[in-house]
Amino acid sequence: MTDINFSSPTLSPELRAAEPSATAGEPLRWDIIELLFFAYRDFVGDADHELEAFGFGRAHHRVMHFVTRYPGLKVADLLDVLRITKQSLGRVLKQLLDEGYIVQKTGNNDRRQRLLFATPKGEALVAKLAGLQTRRIDHALEQIGPAGAEKVRQFLRAMIDRDDPDKVLEAIFKTPVAAAKE
């Protein structure tokens, strides 16, 4: 393995010449980029380890999360939220349906709609995964205090692309802080 000197994040002349800049003359935010990378790795890693026992991966987790949080979510809306194709969702959804973590119902007004609901088994798995992730979040927030928690929330919201109308995302943005902690 090559030794990496993280204290001196310099680029080779070749990479520096090819390096795009968000705004001409401004340095890239390697510090935040790498912190986000490692934070994401560890945040999802807790759940990944648990999911392995079920033969599930991150795609299963994302589907289960949104179906549990938004009962009756339309398959079309789930595709929009996850920004994946029907084909990508198909295999994962079929496995979750076949193994009893999710049920699918037709819409009341439009029989073509496919509405997704988590079963108690699915809700229990999502609660377990959310518990692991909540412990990691709580531990980090304890280190920065209540005022820092609001700044983190503001930062993460500001990172989200708001140009795309997304029903679940709009629900998240309308959620008061107290409800978001549930």
Side-chain angles (χ1 to χ4, degrees), residues 4-72:
I4 299 173
N5 182 354
F6 287 107
S7 63
S8 177
T10 58
L11 297 177
S12 68
E14 296 82 18
L15 284 177
R16 189 167 301 289
E19 179 179 291
S21 180
T23 306
E26 290 186 23
L28 296 175
R29 294 304 310 250
W30 293 114
D31 57 338
I32 302 296
I33 291 168
E34 289 175 357
L35 286 169
L36 283 169
F37 170 80
F38 289 113
Y40 176 75
R41 178 199 66 187
D42 294 345
F43 176 73
V44 298
D46 295 335
D48 287 350
H49 180 70
E50 188 68 34
L51 289 163
E52 286 175 13
F54 298 91
F56 293 163
R58 289 182 185 167
H60 295 86
H61 184 192
R62 288 189 300 265
V63 169
M64 287 295 307
H65 172 87
F66 286 106
V67 169
T68 300
R69 292 282 295 144
Y70 303 94

Side-chain angles (χ1 to χ4, degrees), residues 69-130:
R69 292 282 295 144
Y70 303 94
L73 185 65
K74 292 183 236 171
V75 170
D77 290 339
L78 181 59
L79 289 168
D80 288 342
V81 167
L82 299 178
R83 293 186 179 175
I84 60 175
T85 64
K86 283 183 189 179
Q87 184 178 1
S88 297
L89 177 61
R91 179 190 61 80
V92 169
L93 189 55
K94 181 178 181 341
Q95 187 178 8
L96 291 169
L97 289 164
D98 289 350
E99 295 188 26
Y101 289 91
I102 291 177
V103 293
Q104 180 175 277
K105 300 177 182 178
T106 56
N108 292 334
N109 298 333
D110 185 347
R111 306 293 290 164
R112 295 171 296 176
Q113 286 182 337
R114 295 186 298 154
L115 308 177
L116 302 172
F117 298 87
T119 63
K121 179 179 173 180
E123 289 172 348
L125 177 57
V126 169
K128 185 172 189 174
L129 300 175

